[in-house]
Amino acid sequence: MLRQASRLLSRSVTAGSSKSTTARAFSTEVPSTIDSTFVESWKKVAPNMDPPQTPSSFMKARPTTASSIPTKLTVNFVLPYASELSGKEVDMVIIPATTGQMGVLPGHVPTIAELKPGIMSVHEGTDVKKYFVSSGFAFLHANSVADIIAVEAVPLENIDASQVQKGLAEFTQKLASASTDLEKAEAQIGVEVHSAMNAALSG
Amino acid sequence: MASSAAVPFWRTAGMTYITYSNICANLVRNCLKEPFKAEALSREKVHFSISKWAGGKPEKPILRSDTPGV
């Protein structure tokens, strides 16, 4: 059965590529293909009006990736109510991705990472700034720009340890007594977030 | 083709990502020290009124507010 696997896989790949004649390019890489026949027939009908523009003519081209890896990572860390870091050049950031703590250096492979509640640390020389992030996303681009978005991010000093313990106990108890799926999910989220805060404060 | 990634537990329970994210943010806000907690909670207060429209006219509006009595 497994001997057939490679044949089946290669067959489905070729079938897929025959349907789409070319591999589809990203929308920002397609050169502005102005349809000349359309423009000519437009000019015949309405010579005084400019031909309509298409969305791609308004889009900026994807920024070209530098040939050599830059020395610094540019971080944009935004919250809904504030822009915490804007275009800051740092050496490294460690983000709490759902797949684990991810260290991002300049020249990181382009990634979109979903963040889980945890600590995000920004390293600049010997300076380390830590934030507790409630959840969010991190977009790492090919040109060593990292866009990190979170709903709530607080410095660790602003978290009250006693509240965290209280919340953890409360939600653990709720998880045990939860009946519906939704209640269970909410209680589990509570347990996860409070455990993460606990670990952040003690770690 | 089978589904690719494992589905998070909140999605199977019928919750959307935004709901999950907002719950997480609320929990973090509730665990802040004063005065940050008061700042955060006042920042997140909402006050709006919704009215359904029927036959081209708005019906009685429903007020949703975190500042009662306003």
Side-chain angles (χ1 to χ4, degrees), chain B residues 28-64:
Chain B
V28 172
R29 270 179 227 126
N30 283 330
C31 290
L32 293 176
K33 290 183 182 153
E34 299 293 341
F36 306 107
K37 184 169 178 181
E39 267 176 40
L41 293 179
S42 71
R43 185 209 313 140
E44 295 297 323
K45 283 207 169 113
V46 289
H47 175 105
F48 58 92
S49 96
I50 315 173
S51 39
K52 285 216 164 87
W53 286 65
K57 284 197 171 54
E59 293 175 353
K60 179 132 192 351
I62 308 168
L63 186 65
R64 291 239 168 101

Side-chain angles (χ1 to χ4, degrees), chain A residues 4-184:
Chain A
Q4 311 286 354
S6 52
R7 180 174 67 83
L8 291 169
L9 281 173
S10 54
R11 183 191 63 184
S12 61
V13 163
T14 50
S17 61
S18 66
K19 271 188 236 160
S20 58
T21 46
T22 53
R24 263 209 264 156
F26 292 115
S27 56
T28 46
E29 281 167 351
V30 174
S32 58
T33 45
I34 306 167
D35 191 350
S36 49
T37 49
F38 174 78
V39 171
E40 277 161 23
S41 39
W42 177 278
K43 286 208 188 307
K44 283 198 203 112
V45 177
N48 294 328
M49 281 170 66
D50 282 328
Q53 297 202 297
T54 51
S56 33
S57 63
F58 291 100
M59 287 178 71
K60 285 194 281 203
R62 181 188 290 252
T64 49
T65 319
S67 47
S68 64
I69 298 175
T71 47
K72 293 274 203 182
L73 182 70
T74 315
V75 175
N76 298 314
F77 181 28
V78 290
L79 305 170
Y81 52 86
S83 174
E84 191 66 39
L85 299 170
S86 175
K88 184 147 195 263
E89 305 240 317
V90 298
D91 298 320
M92 173 173 79
V93 290
I94 303 185
I95 55 176
T98 44
T99 50
Q101 297 285 115
M102 188 191 286
V104 182
L105 292 162
H108 197 280
V109 69
T111 312
I112 300 180
E114 185 192 335
L115 305 179
K116 65 176 182 218
I119 303 182
M120 188 187 94
S121 43
V122 179
H123 298 247
E124 166 86 59
T126 47
D127 235 8
V128 178
K129 196 129 188 265
K130 289 194 181 171
Y131 302 91
F132 184 85
V133 164
S134 69
S135 64
F137 284 92
F139 300 88
L140 311 172
H141 303 285
N143 54 354
S144 292
V145 171
D147 294 320
I148 305 172
I149 58 172
V151 180
E152 198 64 60
V154 295
L156 296 177
E157 308 85 55
N158 296 7
I159 303 180
D160 191 350
S162 56
Q163 293 264 34
V164 174
Q165 299 287 18
K166 227 176 22 163
L168 184 55
E170 185 193 329
F171 280 99
T172 327
Q173 197 259 326
K174 271 196 198 158
L175 184 56
S177 64
S179 43
T180 65
D181 256 349
L182 192 59
E183 273 177 34
K184 276 198 210 119

